[in-house]
Amino acid sequence: MDQDNTSTGLRELQAIKARTTTDKVKPGPYGLLEVRQKDHPTWTGEYIGLFDKTAIDITCGDPKILQPDGTRDNLCIGFYPYEDLDIEESFSVPNLQHWQRIVQKTIHFLDIHEVK
């Protein structure tokens, strides 16, 4: 976790709101905010969601695009802080609609398996 205890997604939102970046946000699917990056104006696979006052930064591939190796990028990767950890978890693009439940289950798992 960052020393200032602020998640990457929350810092991005603060920078966009303060207009210190040319990135833009708009309402996205499933209660997420879609981030339009200045260097990728047509790419729409980055999202920020708020879960229990924590910003979740989610980046998804586009399964419609065929990769050079013949595969399709069907993964979303979520990043968020949890206590003294930075969590990175992946799930398939069709599960993006369940992002809140995925984060909730991960946090619950970590809570019950906490080493004291």
Side-chain angles (χ1 to χ4, degrees):
M1 186 182 302
D2 297 332
Q3 289 183 3
D4 67 357
N5 202 24
T6 306
S7 69
T8 302
L10 194 54
R11 282 196 313 276
E12 286 181 35
L13 276 178
Q14 290 167 342
I16 291 166
K17 287 179 181 177
R19 300 181 190 271
T20 58
T21 175
T22 57
D23 294 351
K24 299 188 182 337
V25 294
K26 68 176 191 171
Y30 318 118
L32 295 163
L33 296 172
E34 184 178 328
V35 179
R36 297 278 182 155
Q37 294 182 353
K38 60 185 172 201
D39 51 347
H40 296 288
T42 59
W43 186 71
T44 59
E46 185 168 346
Y47 305 97
I48 296 174
L50 293 175
F51 181 84
D52 196 27
K53 299 180 184 177
T54 299
I56 312 297
D57 193 17
I58 301 173
T59 304
C60 295
D62 186 347
K64 294 179 259 174
I65 297 174
L66 189 63
Q67 302 293 314
D69 65 358
T71 62
R72 298 187 186 274
D73 188 355
N74 193 35
L75 280 181
C76 292
I77 300 174
F79 303 93
Y80 55 96
Y82 170 80
E83 295 186 7
D84 292 335
L85 302 172
D86 285 327
I87 303 296
E88 176 182 330
E89 63 183 323
S90 60
F91 50 90
S92 65
V93 171
N95 283 318
L96 180 60
Q97 63 185 318
H98 306 295
W99 72 272
Q100 290 175 319
R101 190 169 46 157
I102 292 167
V103 170
Q104 182 180 33
K105 285 183 172 186
T106 301
I107 290 172
H108 177 71
F109 176 85
L110 292 169
D111 282 345
I112 65 173
H113 290 89
E114 182 179 4
V115 177
K116 299 197 188 250

